[in-house]
Amino acid sequence: MHRSVARHLSSLLLFFAAFAAGNALAQKSGVTPLIWEVRSQANAVYLLGSIHLGRSDMYPMGPVVEKAYQASKIVVLEADPTDQESIMGAISASLYEPPESLQKNLPGPLLARLSRTLERYGIPLEQAQPMKPFLVAITLASMEYAIAGFDPSLGVDMHFARRARQDGKPLVELESFGGQIALMNNMSSRLQESLLQETLESIDNGEIPALVDSMVNAWKSGDGKKLQDAVSAEERKLPAALAQEFHRKLISDRNIAMAGKIETMLKKSVAAFIAIGAAHLSGQDSVLQILSEKGYRVRPL
């Protein structure tokens, strides 16, 4: 099970933000995903929504994305998906310290439902015992996306990390896998349980393929509102107080921190190509909104 976790950990926010498939496809026909330019008096950066899982028909991306990449001297990601040491360290931080276990921290009915779901994948419950609930939810959701044809090795983050290495462009992290895991670990036990419950229900109800299609279509058509509505709908599945905790810890607080780091880049003279999750680029508290309110010029390309 740990190898499976390692394979999918590059999609840390895939389930929680429920947006990943929304910016999945930039087709060979030339479909271009939503991308923005943010400009200061001294510099410009380009912000592209990222997906941590992908598939081959995402590439090549349209000329607008390519032009922005070529115009940039550095590539910026939430976390470097090629850093295996960091990934393994994050996995270790996601596991219980013995004698703690998943069984000791989940209500009986939820544990039984999880066991039944794991049987679908041929995974005994025992293999999940070291994992905290949020990591189980991530892993199960990632498996479902993989079944739907998405592959971590074809994700946008991985694509641009490899291109940066190939082209000799510095690769900068806005966050890190360790920092993202720390955020997950700081979620309340109730929120972790609710996220796991929602994941199991989505799997049981067969909702994930439909969610993928809806978000892919919204992204392909450049319909940011439809995409944001889908994200909000996922949050509304949680009890109100837990939805607020989820949004604050995994979206709003991170948006503020990432916008601050991007603002530092805007004050320098090195153009940057930045790929972050689409959930961070939509809504009233988005990275784009924060930068706009600080007086930077934000425009879609």
Side-chain angles (χ1 to χ4, degrees), residues 133-154:
F134 74 85
L135 187 59
V136 179
I138 292 171
T139 303
L140 288 173
S142 295
M143 287 178 175
E144 284 294 300
Y145 279 95
I147 292 170
F150 290 85
D151 183 340
S153 69
L154 295 175

Side-chain angles (χ1 to χ4, degrees), residues 24-267:
L25 299 183
Q27 303 284 354
K28 293 181 180 180
S29 61
V31 173
T32 300
L34 293 172
I35 182 171
W36 291 263
E37 178 192 71
V38 182
R39 184 171 289 276
S40 67
Q41 291 184 347
N43 196 13
V45 302
Y46 304 94
L47 282 166
L48 172 73
S50 167
I51 176 174
H52 310 300
L53 298 173
R55 62 192 190 196
S56 60
D57 58 1
M58 292 166 56
Y59 308 103
M61 290 192 177
V64 174
V65 176
E66 183 63 23
K67 184 177 179 180
Y69 174 82
Q70 294 295 344
S72 302
K73 300 298 183 182
I74 63 173
V75 173
V76 183
L77 305 174
E78 290 179 23
D80 180 0
T82 66
D83 187 348
Q84 292 299 312
E85 183 176 347
S86 176
I87 292 174
M88 295 309 297
I91 291 173
S92 296
S94 309
L95 305 178
Y96 286 114
E97 292 285 345
E100 287 297 309
S101 68
L102 189 66
Q103 184 169 353
K104 291 182 178 181
N105 286 272
L106 284 185
L110 181 55
L111 188 70
R113 185 170 191 175
L114 171 61
S115 180
R116 291 193 299 271
T117 300
L118 288 173
E119 287 178 1
R120 297 186 182 185
Y121 308 102
I123 299 172
L125 179 61
E126 186 61 29
Q127 289 191 24
Q129 290 290 6
M131 302 166 66
K132 294 181 181 178
F134 74 85
L135 187 59
V136 179
I138 292 171
T139 303
L140 288 173
S142 295
M143 287 178 175
E144 284 294 300
Y145 279 95
I147 292 170
F150 290 85
D151 183 340
S153 69
L154 295 175
V156 171
D157 304 71
M158 185 68 77
H159 173 75
F160 284 110
R162 287 171 174 162
R163 285 200 64 181
R165 306 290 190 202
Q166 176 183 330
D167 298 337
K169 295 189 178 188
L171 182 59
V172 177
E173 294 181 303
L174 287 177
E175 301 177 318
S176 68
F177 284 115
Q180 291 175 337
I181 281 294
L183 289 172
M184 308 296 182
N185 271 324
N186 286 332
M187 291 189 301
S188 67
S189 58
R190 286 188 61 219
L191 177 55
Q192 290 196 42
E193 289 175 13
S194 290
L195 290 170
L196 178 56
Q197 180 74 36
E198 291 298 335
T199 304
L200 296 175
E201 290 180 2
S202 294
I203 292 171
D204 289 345
N205 296 334
E207 295 175 354
I208 290 179
L211 176 64
V212 172
D213 288 340
S214 174
M215 290 187 170
V216 165
N217 290 336
W219 183 256
K220 288 171 63 178
S221 64
D223 192 338
K225 182 180 184 303
K226 185 175 181 180
L227 182 59
Q228 177 58 30
D229 288 345
V231 174
S232 299
E234 290 302 305
E235 289 187 5
R236 286 195 297 271
K237 292 180 180 180
L238 297 168
L242 297 182
Q244 291 177 3
E245 179 190 350
F246 167 88
H247 192 87
R248 176 174 55 82
K249 290 183 176 179
L250 297 188
I251 304 294
S252 299
D253 288 353
R254 294 175 64 218
N255 287 352
I256 293 170
M258 286 193 284
K261 292 182 178 180
I262 293 170
E263 183 176 21
T264 298
M265 297 175 190
L266 284 164
K267 293 179 179 178

